[in-house]
């Protein structure tokens, strides 16, 4: 009943006629490190999770070292299991920098010795935070065979993530030459790499190698193999699947039937794909939600709204609270099959149930409104989200920018770009080039040289300048008949490669300078 009322309130809001207020970035204070230990009835201290809970509340730009040392002074010591639990939870939250700081702090302590699994986790985090080259350096510094063995898999994963076939193959050969065990997971990484780089013959070679060396294959091995077989046709896929079914060590679960469904969908065999998805549904757990969103996404790819709705209703029967990611998946799938009304209904249900407002969920609906050209509806949803206390992220502003540009509301687009740029100091996001250039074109069309100059200077701070942008700025100065005082120095500093059109624009702009000095 609460979900019904929430949805009605949301629909009334989106259907209301008053003009929306100007966009604003809502402010919220940083949570105190000494905040109460309970939140929405949850007692982290009772769960032995208070340190993790407090570290998760720190802002991403704040170091965790001072917090851990303060905790150690207050409690006398920090138990190793508490630190490992904190690292695990920070990694799940994608707070890789903070997790790495904890491991570095542990390594600096004389009373703590990192275990092989700690070294593996640290190398993985170094790769995510600082890149593969530093992960390689760390791996080469490891002396103990057990630590090198444990860290070899995350290093291989780094190579696979950046699709570096040569280094991945060299590492596998090195591990085998020194007698370090190479398990199915390492071979699966190589299978992922070869599928991602379309080297399907090498996939077959790895599978044959595993067979010759009696290395057990798991469901992921077979799923990747079937994907590689799909380029050869249905018969090849069915042969690999038959071999999987006859492998007594492997359970054929929902993930395999989803893999088959995706293959059949790409081959245009929709009836076969639907049959696989029906079987996949029977393989889903009644006590865990893992799998429901995957099957739902497959139904969406077939434009089967009934299948999407059935999977969503089924996932609701699983005990426990539904994560925001599952709501997002359901909303995305319903939008894809064109059922906006049901997507709004689920969004309203999520608002009733959510403990903390996650703007990523509302962004999904916001994006759908903009793609459909419903900019007024998008603005109303944005204001509704602000009233709920949510903090817009870079994606929120990017979506709204696209909407304002599509509807030719350039003043609002410029204002939104300012808010997006204000977030760039604390994240790696960069606005799409087409949006950046559209704002510059707006200044050019209106001959607004002052705003164009301020804009290009802000973009320069974030290395977002380009030849087309400087051309637009120069055309703006020429149209405004204004002297371009420091543009030449900025172009040289940014090492912009000139072309004939740019040289012509500079000559025209310099004539304005000459006239100004006469």
């Amino acid at each position: 009943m609460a979900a019904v009322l929430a949805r009605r309130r949301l629909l009334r809001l989106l259907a209301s006629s008053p003009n929306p207020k100007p966009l604003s970035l809502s402010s919220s204070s940083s949570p105190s490190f000494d905040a109460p230990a309970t939140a929405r009835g949850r007692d982290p201290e009772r769960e032995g999770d208070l340190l993790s809970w407090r570290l998760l509340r720190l802002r991403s730009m704040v170091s965790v070292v001072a917090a851990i040392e303060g905790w150690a002074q207050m409690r006398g010591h920090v138990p190793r299991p508490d630190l490992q639990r904190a690292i695990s939870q920070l990694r799940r939250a994608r707070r890789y920098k903070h997790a790495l700081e904890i491991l570095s702090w542990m390594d600096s302590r004389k009373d703590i010795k990192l275990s092989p699994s700690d070294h593996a986790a640290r190398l993985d985090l170094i790769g995510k935070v600082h890149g593969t080259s530093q992960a390689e350096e760390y791996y080469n510094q490891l002396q103990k065979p057990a630590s090198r063995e444990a860290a070899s898999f995350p290093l291989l994963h780094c190579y696979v993530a950046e699709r570096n076939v040569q280094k991945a193959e060299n590492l596998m050969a090195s591990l085998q030459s020194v007698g370090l065990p190479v398990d199915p997971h390492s071979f699966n990484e190589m299978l992922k790499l070869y599928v991602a780089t379309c080297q399907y013959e090498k996939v077959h070679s790895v599978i044959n190698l595993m067979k010759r060396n009696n290395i057990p294959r798991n469901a992921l091995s077979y799923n990747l193999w079937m994907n590689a077989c799909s380029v050869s046709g249905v018969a090849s896929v069915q042969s690999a699947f038959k071999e999987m079914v006859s492998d007594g060590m492997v359970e054929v679960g929902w993930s395999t039937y989803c893999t088959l469904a995706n293959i059949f969908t790409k081959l245009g065999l929709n009836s076969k794909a639907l049959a696989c998805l029906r079987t996949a549904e029977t393989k889903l757990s009644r006590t865990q939600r893992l799998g429901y969103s995957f099957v739902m996404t497959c139904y969406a790819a077939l434009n089967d709204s009934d299948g999407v709705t059935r999977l969503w209703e089924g996932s609701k029967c699983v005990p426990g609270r539904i994560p925001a990611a599952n709501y997002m998946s359901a909303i995305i799938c319903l939008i894809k099959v064109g059922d906006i009304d049901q997507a709004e209904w689920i969004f309203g249900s999520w608002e009733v149930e959510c403990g903390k407002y996650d703007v990523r969920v509302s962004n999904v609906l916001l994006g759908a409104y903009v793609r459909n050209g419903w900019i007024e509806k998008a603005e109303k949803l944005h204001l509704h989200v602000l009233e709920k206390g949510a903090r817009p992220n870079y994606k929120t502003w990017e979506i709204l920018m696209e909407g304002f540009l599509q509807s030719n509301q350039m003043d609002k687009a410029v204002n939104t770009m300012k808010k997006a740029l204000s977030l760039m100091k604390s994240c790696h996001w960069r606005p799409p080039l087409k949006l950046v250039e559209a704002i510059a074109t707006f200044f050019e069309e209106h001959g607004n040289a002052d705003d164009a100059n301020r804009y290009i200077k802000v973009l320069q701070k974030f290395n977002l300048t380009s030849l087309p942008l400087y051309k637009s700025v120069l055309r703006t100065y020429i149209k405004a008949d204004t002297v371009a005082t420091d543009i030449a120095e900025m172009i040289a500093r940014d090492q912009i490669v000139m072309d004939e059109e740019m040289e012509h624009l500079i000559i025209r702009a310099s004539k304005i300078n000459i006239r100004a000095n006469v």
Side-chain angles (χ1 to χ4, degrees):
M1 187 64 182
V4 174
L5 294 174
R7 180 174 182 270
R8 288 175 179 170
R9 286 197 297 272
L10 176 63
L11 293 177
R12 282 200 301 270
L13 171 71
L14 297 176
S16 60
S17 57
N19 293 327
K21 301 175 184 177
L23 296 174
S24 63
L25 180 64
S26 62
S27 61
S28 63
S29 58
S30 174
S32 168
F33 186 71
D34 294 321
T38 58
R40 195 175 171 80
R42 180 173 179 265
D43 186 349
E45 186 167 21
R46 191 186 312 132
E47 299 175 13
D49 202 23
L50 184 55
L51 176 61
S52 302
W53 181 80
R54 294 194 173 188
L55 293 179
L56 284 167
R57 288 176 63 85
L58 292 176
R59 289 186 178 274
S60 59
M61 303 302 290
V62 178
S63 173
V64 301
V65 173
I68 294 175
E69 290 181 345
W71 181 265
Q73 291 178 358
M74 182 172 61
R75 296 297 176 102
H77 73 292
V78 184
R80 185 189 185 95
D82 289 359
L83 291 169
Q84 291 175 322
R85 187 183 300 113
I87 292 167
S88 177
Q89 294 195 16
L90 287 167
R91 291 176 75 181
R92 281 200 296 270
R94 298 179 183 271
R95 299 274 288 279
Y96 303 126
K97 182 174 179 291
H98 280 171
L100 179 58
E101 287 177 6
I102 297 176
L103 280 164
S104 299
W105 178 82
M106 290 170 64
D107 194 33
S108 68
R109 302 275 299 184
K110 294 181 179 179
D111 57 333
I112 298 178
K113 296 294 182 183
L114 296 187
S115 66
S117 61
D118 290 332
H119 284 295
R122 193 178 183 188
L123 186 143
D124 177 63
L125 291 166
I126 290 172
K128 287 181 168 63
V129 176
H130 300 299
T132 302
S133 59
Q134 290 196 31
E136 286 178 319
E137 291 178 12
Y138 184 75
Y139 180 79
N140 291 331
Q141 292 171 4
L142 297 175
Q143 300 296 323
K144 295 182 178 180
S147 296
R148 289 180 67 85
E149 178 184 336
S152 61
F153 181 77
L155 180 60
L156 178 64
H157 182 74
C158 288
Y159 293 148
V160 172
E162 63 179 25
R163 300 188 178 183
N164 193 323
V165 175
Q166 183 176 354
K167 286 192 173 183
E169 290 178 340
N170 289 342
L171 178 61
M172 284 288 285
S174 173
L175 295 176
Q176 291 175 308
S177 66
V178 297
L180 287 178
V182 181
D183 58 17
H185 301 297
S186 299
F187 281 101
N188 284 345
E189 286 295 303
M190 297 305 296
L191 291 172
K192 289 179 190 176
L193 178 59
Y194 293 142
V195 169
T197 54
C198 301
Q199 299 183 59
Y200 302 118
E201 286 302 319
K202 289 189 175 181
V203 171
H204 301 305
S205 298
V206 171
I207 292 294
N208 290 331
L209 180 63
M210 295 176 76
K211 291 179 181 179
R212 288 197 305 270
N213 291 277
N214 294 319
I215 297 172
R217 286 152 287 167
N218 55 24
L220 179 58
S221 311
Y222 282 106
N223 292 347
L224 291 166
W225 184 21
M226 286 188 289
N227 270 314
C229 290
S230 64
V231 298
S232 302
V234 176
S236 181
V237 174
Q238 291 175 330
S239 176
F241 176 65
K242 185 177 180 180
E243 190 167 331
M244 180 182 185
V245 172
S246 63
D247 188 338
M249 301 298 292
V250 180
E251 180 182 356
V252 183
W254 60 263
S255 67
T256 297
Y257 286 102
C258 282
T259 298
L260 286 169
N262 285 330
I263 291 171
F264 290 141
T265 300
K266 290 175 183 176
L267 294 174
L269 303 172
N270 290 359
S271 59
K272 285 182 175 291
L274 286 170
C276 287
L277 292 179
R278 281 291 192 176
T279 306
E281 287 186 56
T282 66
K283 302 289 184 177
L284 293 170
S285 170
R286 298 295 181 263
T287 57
Q288 294 181 344
R289 287 194 176 83
L290 182 65
Y292 284 87
S293 293
F294 287 91
V295 181
M296 194 187 308
T297 302
C298 293
Y299 274 120
L302 291 164
N303 200 33
D304 188 334
S305 59
D306 291 338
V308 171
T309 302
R310 185 171 60 253
L311 263 294
W312 171 246
E313 292 300 325
S315 71
K316 288 162 59 177
C317 296
V318 177
R321 190 171 182 175
I322 304 175
N326 290 52
Y327 280 103
M328 287 175 63
S329 179
I331 294 170
I332 289 170
C333 289
L334 287 166
I335 290 169
K336 188 170 184 178
V337 299
D339 195 345
I340 295 289
D341 289 341
Q342 185 66 14
E344 290 174 340
W345 180 281
I346 292 178
F347 176 73
S349 301
W350 169 77
E351 283 197 318
V352 172
E353 298 295 332
C354 70
K356 180 180 179 182
Y357 210 98
D358 189 339
V359 75
R360 294 175 301 171
V361 182
S362 57
N363 280 350
V364 174
L365 200 55
L366 189 71
Y369 290 159
V370 167
R371 287 192 299 274
N372 283 283
W374 305 333
I375 187 60
E376 290 185 7
K377 206 170 183 180
E379 284 190 271
K380 289 170 184 174
L381 174 61
H382 176 64
L383 292 174
H384 170 74
V385 169
L386 291 180
E387 290 170 0
K388 288 285 188 178
R391 296 188 63 192
N393 62 11
Y394 64 86
K395 192 64 180 178
T396 309
W397 301 125
E398 182 181 319
I399 293 168
L400 288 169
M401 260 189 286
E402 290 178 352
F404 292 137
L405 288 172
Q406 289 172 12
S407 58
N408 203 31
Q409 299 184 59
M410 295 306 299
D411 287 336
K412 289 183 178 180
V414 171
N415 191 34
T416 307
M417 176 63 86
K418 291 178 182 177
K419 291 178 170 62
L421 292 174
S422 70
L423 297 179
M424 288 177 58
K425 294 179 181 179
S426 58
C427 71
H428 297 294
W429 170 82
R430 294 295 179 264
L433 184 59
K434 65 175 183 177
L435 300 182
V436 174
E437 292 181 351
I439 301 297
T441 301
F442 171 70
F443 293 140
E444 178 187 337
E445 290 172 350
H446 290 76
N448 195 333
D450 290 339
D451 282 345
N453 185 49
R454 282 193 290 268
Y455 184 55
I456 197 72
K457 286 182 176 178
V458 172
L459 295 177
Q460 189 182 45
K461 293 179 181 178
F462 298 106
N463 298 317
L464 292 173
T465 55
S466 63
L467 180 61
L469 281 170
Y470 275 115
K471 286 181 180 179
S472 179
V473 171
L474 281 173
R475 286 193 294 265
T476 306
Y477 275 104
I478 291 168
K479 185 172 185 177
D481 199 31
T482 303
V483 177
T485 53
D486 51 358
I487 291 297
E489 290 80 2
M490 293 175 66
I491 292 172
R493 195 181 311 132
D494 291 343
Q495 299 180 337
I496 300 296
V497 178
M498 310 279 273
D499 63 8
E500 187 176 344
E501 181 187 2
M502 186 65 170
E503 290 173 355
H504 180 65
L505 288 170
I506 290 174
I507 292 171
R508 289 181 63 189
S510 66
K511 291 179 179 179
I512 298 173
N513 195 13
I514 292 171
R515 290 200 302 271
N517 291 320
V518 171

